[in-house]
Amino acid sequence: MSLHSLRYQSTIVAPIAEEDMRAMLVKARAFNAANQISGMLLYRDGQFVQVLEGEEATIRILYDKILCDPRHTNMQMLEDAPLNHRKFASWTMAYRS
């Protein structure tokens, strides 16, 4: 397995309600657990920063889906690199607002 990390920043198109954010996190955590993806999500003032860690092909497929998500705009790749070890190994999706 080729361990990889992607980190991006994006702007949310419309404000997100806290219950919608919780629902999104439940879905993301289940998907990530099933696909051996770890990472974290930060959200503040309409901006997301997310780190995804996992098998490179799986991470790239997920990132392509995120790129097509109409809730995001102004996507900027901040990191795209191989990893020696996971930084967020115990988190399927840590979250801070």
Side-chain angles (χ1 to χ4, degrees):
M1 171 152 100
S2 161
L3 197 55
H4 206 79
S5 176
L6 290 179
R7 181 169 39 111
Y8 72 89
Q9 176 180 326
S10 67
T11 303
I12 192 120
V13 172
I16 222 171
E18 191 61 34
E19 68 254 13
D20 292 334
M21 180 65 80
R22 280 193 297 272
M24 183 178 73
L25 287 167
V26 166
K27 192 173 179 181
R29 287 173 176 149
F31 176 88
N32 290 356
N35 290 280
Q36 299 177 3
I37 296 170
S38 55
M40 66 90 188
L41 176 67
L42 301 174
Y43 175 69
R44 183 173 182 195
D45 297 331
Q47 298 290 310
F48 281 116
V49 173
Q50 185 169 26
V51 176
L52 301 168
E53 301 173 331
E55 199 277 322
E56 184 175 6
T58 305
I59 294 297
R60 293 202 184 282
I61 290 167
L62 177 56
Y63 183 70
D64 287 344
K65 287 181 183 179
I66 293 168
L67 279 172
C68 295
D69 188 327
R71 297 173 290 188
H72 297 267
T73 188
N74 300 327
M75 296 282 291
Q76 293 182 306
M77 179 69 72
L78 304 173
E79 177 184 56
D80 183 356
L83 282 180
N84 291 329
H85 64 280
R86 293 176 189 257
K87 297 174 185 170
F88 304 99
S90 61
W91 296 338
T92 55
M93 183 57 57
Y95 172 70
R96 281 280 184 245
S97 60

